[in-house]
Amino acid sequence: MSLNYKHPLVLASGSPRRQQLLAEAGFEFEVLVRPVDEIIPDDLHPRAVAVLISENKAKAYTDLPSEKVIVTADTVVVVGEKILGKPADSAEARAMLLLLSGKTHQVMTGVTLLHEGKFKSFVEESQVTFRELTEAEIAYYINRDRPFDKAGAYGIQEWIGMVGITRIEGDYYNVMGLPMSRLYQELMAIA
């Protein structure tokens, strides 16, 4: 059963997690992915980075019919002022997880809605704390789940999240890549 949403909805993301979350929230939507340059200036605050990339993604869809609602998102993992992107390989994933081990970090997701030529963007932030992780746990996780498509080299819903995360403040689904409560409210507010 799906939610009777009044606008045609497009999720501009190849992320299986984002697709799963939007579907589980009851929305019917099409998935359309277009390549977008994600290069950003070094001097931006991480919150601004998440929004800028999300808005740049949305700009790639301005040619679609204006009655459609386009949803784009970008998630960044931040330790201190350092943004952790997606790891290129096992060594980079290991380094990221060692950096996160025993610390609290921020997960920021920028979301942009494009409807009738207007952009609406917001950022949701969650605080996530990992206990100290062992080298063996990190190696096991990387070999098991291969987290190379995830910012910060982890998925909260995967093994490392189950056994390693001791505290979350904020939206759990934001850490998965789509702040569903806020997104739902924003989508329902579109007249």
Side-chain angles (χ1 to χ4, degrees):
M1 186 170 172
S2 66
L3 186 67
N4 189 15
Y5 187 61
K6 60 188 170 185
H7 300 288
L9 193 59
V10 176
L11 177 62
S13 174
S15 164
R17 291 162 301 282
R18 289 187 180 124
Q19 293 169 25
Q20 173 193 0
L21 290 173
L22 201 56
E24 287 181 5
F27 290 98
E28 287 186 11
F29 56 94
E30 68 176 292
V31 175
L32 183 58
V33 181
R34 294 180 175 172
V36 176
D37 183 6
E38 293 190 17
I39 295 173
I40 44 100
D42 292 333
D43 59 345
L44 284 182
H45 186 276
R47 288 177 73 86
V49 168
V51 169
L52 178 66
I53 293 174
S54 177
E55 288 176 349
N56 285 345
K57 288 177 180 179
K59 288 175 186 171
Y61 297 87
T62 55
D63 64 319
L64 293 182
S66 66
E67 71 272 6
K68 292 189 177 199
V69 177
I70 315 302
V71 179
T72 62
D74 188 71
T75 302
V76 297
V77 172
V78 183
V79 181
E81 291 296 315
K82 182 176 176 62
I83 296 175
L84 303 182
K86 297 173 185 172
D89 54 29
S90 294
E92 199 168 299
R94 177 184 170 275
M96 287 183 185
L97 289 167
L98 284 171
L99 187 61
L100 296 172
S101 178
K103 295 186 185 91
T104 298
H105 64 276
Q106 293 72 45
V107 178
M108 300 172 195
T109 301
V111 177
T112 300
L113 304 177
L114 171 60
H115 180 243
E116 294 183 346
K118 296 179 185 149
F119 295 86
K120 166 94 188 247
S121 298
F122 63 90
V123 177
E124 206 54 42
E125 182 176 334
S126 302
Q127 309 285 323
V128 180
T129 304
F130 271 104
R131 66 169 171 75
E132 290 284 341
L133 302 170
T134 68
E135 287 274 359
E137 289 168 335
I138 290 171
Y140 174 76
Y141 172 64
I142 292 170
N143 289 329
R144 174 191 155 126
D145 290 307
R146 310 204 43 82
F148 309 121
D149 65 336
K150 296 171 181 73
Y154 79 93
I156 192 170
Q157 72 282 7
E158 295 176 340
W159 183 83
I160 201 78
M162 290 181 222
V163 303
I165 292 175
T166 59
R167 183 176 174 89
I168 302 167
E169 291 180 47
D171 186 335
Y172 171 87
Y173 299 104
N174 181 54
V175 184
M176 283 182 70
L178 209 53
M180 286 311 304
S181 179
R182 175 78 184 271
L183 176 58
Y184 177 85
Q185 293 171 56
E186 296 289 350
L187 285 171
M188 299 311 277
I190 294 175

